Amino acid sequence: MSVDLNMVLEQIMREKGIDKERLVETIKSAVIFASKKRYGLDNIEADFDMDTSEIKLFVNKEVVKKVDNGDLEITLEDAVELNDEAEIGDTLSVPMVVEDLGRIAAHAAKQLLFQKVREAEHDVIYENFKDKKGELISGIVSRKDKAGIYVDLVKTEAFLPKREQSFRENFKRGDRI
């Protein structure tokens, strides 16, 4: 099953109000995190191709005469195949072939992705309401419990504790407040 990542990004942008660049950076960081966890390398970079919705991984390797560590170094002959102008001492981004990140690394990437999206969503909500300090905002009571009431404010939900409510007012679900 092939999933068009651009469609998923567009949907998240509409639902959460997060800009596409931030989402792309979040996805790239999650894939890098999973790759580092799977392969044990620290010199991994990611690139997202908007046209093909494909994420490509690269390993930064130093061009040397003789390779001592294949994860960090590349011979001049191999480097010239990737870049004609490569010289000894240069650092090249070598494409990685990623077949399977593994279940644990994929789960870790998923958790990181959800956390970053949640953080971005909180930032968007903060930006929307930071200038409204001291103003009255109206919403609709969505639910009520012993601690207080939850008010739907269109793109987010607010909590109004009992101690900040007037004891004379009794709100029901659906009331405008």
Side-chain angles (χ1 to χ4, degrees):
M1 179 175 92
S2 177
V3 177
D4 184 12
L5 201 51
N6 277 328
M7 285 181 20
V8 173
L9 291 176
E10 294 291 332
Q11 183 178 0
I12 293 173
M13 284 172 42
R14 280 192 306 274
E15 289 178 4
K16 307 286 185 182
I18 304 169
D19 62 315
K20 192 168 189 171
E21 293 79 31
R22 187 162 184 181
L23 285 174
V24 168
E25 287 302 316
T26 300
I27 290 172
K28 286 176 13 180
S29 67
V31 171
I32 289 171
F33 178 77
S35 300
K36 285 180 179 181
K37 193 169 186 87
R38 172 79 164 111
Y39 298 110
L41 301 172
D42 289 330
N43 54 343
I44 296 176
E45 291 180 358
D47 187 36
F48 179 73
D49 186 357
M50 295 284 194
D51 298 329
T52 62
S53 297
E54 188 177 0
I55 299 172
K56 297 175 184 173
L57 290 174
F58 299 94
V59 177
N60 292 326
K61 294 186 177 187
E62 184 179 353
V63 180
V64 294
K65 288 182 182 179
K66 182 181 175 215
V67 175
D68 293 327
N69 184 350
D71 293 336
L72 302 173
E73 300 171 336
I74 187 172
T75 63
L76 182 59
E77 295 81 29
D78 293 337
V80 169
E81 290 178 16
L82 296 171
N83 184 352
D84 297 339
E85 301 172 5
E87 297 177 6
I88 292 179
D90 289 349
T91 302
L92 285 181
S93 294
V94 179
M96 281 181 71
V97 177
V98 180
E99 294 174 6
D100 183 25
L101 291 178
R103 184 178 55 83
I104 295 172
H107 182 70
K110 178 181 160 186
Q111 292 297 86
L112 179 68
L113 183 63
F114 285 151
Q115 176 187 349
K116 295 281 187 179
V117 168
R118 224 177 296 120
E119 288 174 7
E121 189 177 13
H122 287 291
D123 290 346
V124 167
I125 291 169
Y126 174 75
E127 289 298 319
N128 286 339
F129 288 100
K130 73 177 183 179
D131 297 330
K132 297 184 182 198
K133 185 175 181 180
E135 294 180 22
L136 289 177
I137 299 174
S138 65
I140 298 173
V141 176
S142 59
R143 66 180 195 255
K144 189 175 177 182
D145 64 14
K146 292 179 183 177
I149 58 175
Y150 294 86
V151 181
D152 184 18
L153 301 174
V154 182
K155 288 196 172 192
T156 190
E157 190 175 66
F159 177 72
L160 184 61
K162 280 273 191 200
R163 69 179 185 280
E164 294 182 18
Q165 297 175 32
S166 171
F167 66 91
R168 293 188 179 132
E169 293 179 312
N170 187 19
F171 297 107
K172 297 183 297 274
R173 189 169 184 258
D175 286 350
R176 181 163 289 282
I177 181 174

